[in-house]
C-alpha cells in the first residue's frame, strides 16, 4: 500500500485523468468505432483514495446492511439489463450469451446478498469459546475485511468476470476497484449508470479503464488483487503483488481435457463435447481443448462429432448462428499457428479450419484428428472453436494424457453414468471435473475448487469459501483467571547451567 503522504504527492502531481485514449475494435465489423480513456497512475491513485475513505462506513454496515445495498444494485441491473447487454453484445459479437451474462451477474449479486450474513455472522465477533489447553482462557474471532481489493478482468466474459470476485469482496466489507479489459469495455458506461442509482455502493465500487499501465497502477494501490487472464500476465501480477507483500488470487489459462469412456452414449457425449468446445467460439478459459476417446468407440465418436460440427452455423450467416466471431484479433494468429503446426506434424482437419472474413473473423467448429502431444494444439491454450480428438487404449493411458499438461483448470469425464465416470475423475488433476457433461463448472457457483498447475493460484473463487479470501482473521483471546507471573519463568543461575554443560562434556 502506498503511504498516505505518498498518495497525496501522486495526486498533487497530476490529479486529472490521462488524456490518452484507447481504440476499441468491433469484432463483428472489424472496425475501430469506440474508445476509452486510459487512466494514468495519478488518476488511479485518486480513485483508490476515494474508495478507501468510504470503506470504513461500508464495513460498519455489517453483512446484513451491505446485503440490502447489494440487492438494490441487483434490481437496478435487472431493470437496465437491456442497455448493459446491448453494449456487451457489440464488444463480443454475441447476443444471447450477453443477455444471459447480465442476468447471471444479477443472480450472483443476489446469491451473495443471501449468503454473506449467514457466513460472516451479524455481530462484530464470534462467541467466546473455552480453550481446550488453558482452563481460564477463552477465545473468539473477528473477520476484518481488506480495505481495498483490486480486480483485473479479461475480455471473453466482461461483465461476469468483472464482478465474480468483486461482489463477494463487497459483501465481505471491502471496497472494490475494477479494471476491465480494454478489448471489451463498452459495458462499463451502462453499468456505471446502474451503479449511480445506488449511491451507497458507488462510494465503494469503481471501474477504471485502461491498459497494462492502468493495471500496474491498480496493483500498486490495493491491499489485495484478483486477476483473471493469461499465464504470462498472471506471473507479472503475482511478482508485483509479492513485491508489495499483498495477496494475489489468480485464475489463469486452461487446456481442459474431456475423456470419453467406452460405455458413454455417443449421441450425448458428442453433444456435450461440441458445446463444451465451441461455446462463445471456444473463447472460454474452461473450454474443452483436448478430447480423448476410448479407441473402441473413437471412429464412431469422430464421425458423429463431425456431422454435428458441420451443422453448426456462424452468427455472420443471414439467419444467425451459434458461433460468434473471434473477439480479440490477435487470437486469430494463435489459432492459425496451432492449426498449421498440427497439420505440418501429421494432423488431419476433418471439418472447419477455414476462417471466414466478414468484417470480423469467424471460424466454424474444427474437428482435428491424428493429433499428439508434440503439437502446440495439444499443449498450448488455443482459445478457439477447435476440437482435437485422440484415441486411448485404456484408462491408465487416458489419465496419463489428461494429466500431461502444464494446466489444471477443469476437465470432463463421460461414461454410461456419473457413477461410472467418478473413479477416473478422481485421478484427473484439475480443479473442477464435470461428470457426464462438459463445462458444468461455469453453470454453478456452489462447488469450491482450486486450480492445478499453471491454471491459477490462491483460494477458491467459487463456493462459500470465496468470501473468506477478502477478510483477515483476528483472534481475541481472554484471560479469565490470574495472569501468569514472570516468576514462573525463573531460571537457575547461569553458572549452574554452565557447570552442567562442562559436566556433560567431561562425561
Amino acid at each position: 500500500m502506498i503511504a498516505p503522504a505518498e498518495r497525496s504527492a501522486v495526486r498533487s502531481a497530476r490529479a486529472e485523468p490521462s488524456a490518452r485514449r484507447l481504440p476499441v475494435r468491433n469484432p463483428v465489423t472489424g472496425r475501430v468505432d469506440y474508445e476509452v480513456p486510459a487512466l494514468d497512475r495519478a488518476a488511479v491513485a485518486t480513485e483508490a483514495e476515494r474508495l478507501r475513505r468510504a470503506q470504513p462506513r461500508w464495513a460498519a454496515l455489517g453483512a446484513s446492511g451491505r446485503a440490502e445495498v447489494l440487492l438494490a444494485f441487483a434490481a437496478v441491473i435487472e431493470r437496465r439489463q437491456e442497455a448493459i447487454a446491448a453494449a456487451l453484445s457489440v464488444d463480443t459479437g454475441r447476443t444471447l450469451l450477453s443477455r444471459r451474462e447480465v442476468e447471471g451477474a444479477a443472480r450472483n449479486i443476489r446469491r451473495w446478498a443471501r449468503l454473506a450474513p449467514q457466513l460472516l455472522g451479524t455481530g462484530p465477533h464470534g462467541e467466546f469459546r473455552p480453550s481446550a489447553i488453558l482452563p481460564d482462557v477463552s477465545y473468539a474471532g473477528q473477520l476484518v475485511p481488506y480495505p481495498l481489493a483490486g480486480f483485473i478482468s479479461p475480455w471473453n466474459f466482461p461483465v461476469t468476470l468483472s464482478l465474480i470476485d468483486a461482489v463477494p469482496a463487497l459483501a465481505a466489507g471491502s471496497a472494490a476497484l475494477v479494471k476491465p479489459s480494454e478489448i471489451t469495455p463498452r459495458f462499463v458506461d451502462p453499468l456505471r449508470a446502474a451503479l449511480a442509482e445506488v449511491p451507497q455502493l458507488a462510494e465503494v465500487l469503481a471501474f477504471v479503464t485502461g491498459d497494462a499501465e492502468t493495471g500496474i497502477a491498480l496493483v500498486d494501490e490495493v491491499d489485495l488483487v484478483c486477476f483473471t487472464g493469461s499465464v504470462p500476465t498472471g506471473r507479472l501480477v503475482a511478482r508485483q503483488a509479492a513485491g508489495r507483500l499483498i495477496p494475489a488470487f489468480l485464475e489463469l489459462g486452461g487446456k481442459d481435457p474431456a475423456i470419453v469412456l467406452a460405455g458413454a452414449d455417443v449421441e450425448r457425449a458428442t453433444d456435450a463435447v461440441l458445446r463444451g468446445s465451441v461455446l462463445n467460439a471456444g473463447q472460454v478459459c474452461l473450454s474443452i481443448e483436448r478430447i480423448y476417446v476410448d479407441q473402441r468407440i473413437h471412429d464412431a465418436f469422430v464421425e458423429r462429432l463431425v456431422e454435428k460440427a458441420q451443422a453448426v452455423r456462424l452468427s455472420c450467416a443471414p439467419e444467425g448462428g451459434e458461433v460468434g466471431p473471434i473477439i480479440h484479433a490477435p487470437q486469430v494468429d494463435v489459432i492459425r499457428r496451432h492449426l498449421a503446426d498440427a497439420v505440418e506434424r501429421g494432423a488431419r482437419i476433418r471439418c472447419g479450419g477455414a476462417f471466414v472474413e466478414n468484417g470480423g473473423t469467424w471460424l466454424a467448429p474444427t474437428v482435428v484428428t491424428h493429433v499428439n502431444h508434440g503439437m502446440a494444439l495439444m499443449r498450448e491454450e488455443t482459445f478457439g472453436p477447435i476440437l482435437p480428438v485422440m484415441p486411448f487404449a485404456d484408462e491408465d493411458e487416458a489419465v496419463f494424457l489428461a494429466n500431461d499438461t502444464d494446466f489444471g483448470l477443469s476437465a470432463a469425464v463421460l461414461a454410461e453414468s456419473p457413477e461410472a465416470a467418478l473413479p477416473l475423475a478422481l485421478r484427473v488433476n484439475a480443479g473442477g471435473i464435470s461428470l457426464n457433461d462438459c463445462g458444468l463448472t461455469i453453470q454453478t457457483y456452489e462447488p469450491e475448487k482450486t486450480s492445478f498447475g499453471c491454471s491459477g493460484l490462491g483460494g477458491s473463487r467459487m463456493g462459500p469459501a470465496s468470501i473468506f479470501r477478502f477478510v483477515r482473521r483476528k483472534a481475541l483471546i481472554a484471560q479469565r483467571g490470574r495472569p501468569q507471573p514472570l516468576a514462573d519463568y525463573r531460571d537457575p543461575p547461569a553458572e549452574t547451567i554452565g557447570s552442567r554443560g562442562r559436566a556433560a562434556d567431561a562425561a
Side-chain angles (χ1 to χ4, degrees):
M1 185 193 315
I2 296 177
E6 294 175 306
R7 286 200 293 269
S8 298
V10 170
R11 288 200 307 277
S12 61
R14 189 176 182 186
E16 293 300 317
S18 168
R20 192 163 60 98
R21 312 285 292 185
L22 301 176
V24 181
R25 171 183 171 273
N26 184 320
V28 174
T29 66
R31 296 193 298 268
V32 171
D33 57 8
Y34 192 76
E35 61 179 21
V36 292
L39 271 63
D40 63 10
R41 181 172 290 276
V44 173
T46 299
E47 193 70 338
E49 183 65 17
R50 179 183 73 83
L51 298 176
R52 284 187 183 279
R53 287 196 301 268
Q55 186 271 335
R57 294 191 299 274
W58 176 249
L61 288 176
S64 296
R66 294 190 296 269
E68 290 181 11
V69 179
L70 289 171
L71 287 173
F73 186 44
V76 176
I77 288 177
E78 289 166 343
R79 192 170 68 249
R80 289 179 169 266
Q81 68 178 9
E82 289 302 322
I84 301 170
L88 194 59
S89 295
V90 177
D91 261 343
T92 60
R94 48 173 170 73
T95 301
L96 182 60
L97 272 178
S98 295
R99 288 201 300 267
R100 290 181 177 177
E101 191 174 340
V102 178
E103 293 167 357
R107 282 197 306 271
N108 191 41
I109 294 171
R110 292 187 181 280
R111 170 176 165 266
W112 278 116
R114 182 183 73 253
L115 284 177
Q118 301 171 18
L119 296 171
L120 302 178
T122 55
H125 59 76
E127 180 182 352
F128 276 84
R129 301 178 180 180
S131 167
I133 300 173
L134 302 172
D136 293 330
V137 170
S138 60
Y139 63 93
Q142 181 187 6
L143 301 177
V144 183
Y146 286 89
L148 180 58
F151 307 89
I152 302 175
S153 58
W155 48 262
N156 55 331
F157 284 95
V159 170
T160 297
L161 295 175
S162 287
L163 296 177
I164 191 169
D165 295 312
V167 170
L170 289 163
S174 299
L177 185 60
V178 182
K179 192 205 89 66
S181 170
E182 67 274 24
I183 307 303
T184 52
R186 296 175 214 241
F187 78 93
V188 173
D189 281 345
L191 191 58
R192 278 178 177 153
L195 182 60
E197 292 193 37
V198 191
Q200 205 168 7
L201 186 61
E203 289 185 347
V204 289
L205 170 61
F207 296 83
V208 290
T209 57
D211 51 13
E213 178 184 327
T214 309
I216 291 169
L218 180 145
V219 178
D220 276 343
E221 290 292 333
V222 299
D223 306 308
L224 171 154
V225 63
C226 293
F227 171 82
T228 306
S230 70
V231 173
T233 305
R235 291 185 191 278
L236 295 176
V237 171
R239 290 190 188 107
Q240 187 181 356
R244 297 193 53 240
L245 296 179
I246 64 171
F249 298 98
L250 312 177
E251 181 93 356
L252 307 178
K255 193 70 183 174
D256 288 6
I259 299 173
V260 184
L261 299 177
D265 180 276
V266 169
E267 196 66 24
R268 295 177 61 175
T270 48
D271 276 346
V273 167
L274 181 62
R275 189 202 72 248
S277 299
V278 309
L279 184 72
N280 199 34
Q283 299 163 117
V284 185
C285 55
L286 305 170
S287 182
I288 295 298
E289 294 206 0
R290 297 177 290 143
I291 305 161
Y292 303 107
V293 184
D294 189 294
Q295 62 187 9
R296 289 169 288 181
I297 64 167
H298 173 269
D299 292 349
F301 179 92
V302 169
E303 292 306 317
R304 191 66 181 114
L305 184 63
V306 168
E307 290 175 6
K308 291 181 178 181
Q310 289 174 326
V312 173
R313 298 160 299 177
L314 302 179
S315 65
C316 59
E319 69 277 14
E322 299 84 8
V323 174
I326 307 301
I327 297 170
H328 189 32
Q331 199 63 36
V332 174
D333 294 333
V334 174
I335 299 170
R336 288 187 194 275
R337 175 173 62 83
H338 285 189
L339 284 176
D341 172 76
V343 170
E344 184 179 338
R345 294 173 184 270
R348 298 180 188 175
I349 295 178
R350 295 293 304 272
C351 66
F355 290 89
V356 175
E357 304 290 343
N358 186 24
T361 304
W362 280 257
L363 178 64
T366 301
V367 178
V368 186
T369 59
H370 295 78
V371 293
N372 60 63
H373 281 207
M375 301 172 180
L377 187 63
M378 298 297 283
R379 303 209 68 85
E380 300 175 18
E381 187 172 34
T382 305
F383 228 57
I386 312 296
L387 301 92
V389 186
M390 183 175 176
F392 64 82
D394 54 39
E395 292 188 4
D396 287 342
E397 184 183 19
V399 171
F400 172 82
L401 292 170
N403 290 340
D404 182 26
T405 179
D406 292 332
F407 299 97
L409 194 57
S410 54
V413 180
L414 299 105
E416 59 266 33
S417 67
E419 291 72 24
L422 180 59
L424 195 142
L426 295 173
R427 300 169 61 191
V428 175
N429 294 331
I433 315 292
S434 298
L435 306 178
N436 261 25
D437 202 346
C438 297
L440 293 178
T441 50
I442 57 175
Q443 297 181 38
T444 175
Y445 288 172
E446 285 89 352
E448 297 174 6
K449 65 186 184 69
T450 51
S451 300
F452 287 57
C454 294
S455 285
L457 180 70
S460 176
R461 79 182 331 176
M462 303 296 191
S466 172
I467 198 169
F468 295 107
R469 294 175 295 163
F470 305 106
V471 294
R472 294 154 295 179
R473 295 179 181 270
K474 182 191 296 183
L476 304 168
I477 308 169
Q479 173 61 266
R480 302 192 182 280
R482 173 177 172 269
Q484 194 170 23
L486 182 60
D488 287 357
Y489 293 89
R490 182 176 297 153
D491 281 330
E495 61 185 33
T496 304
I497 299 173
S499 65
R500 287 176 183 170
R502 287 192 296 273
D505 290 341

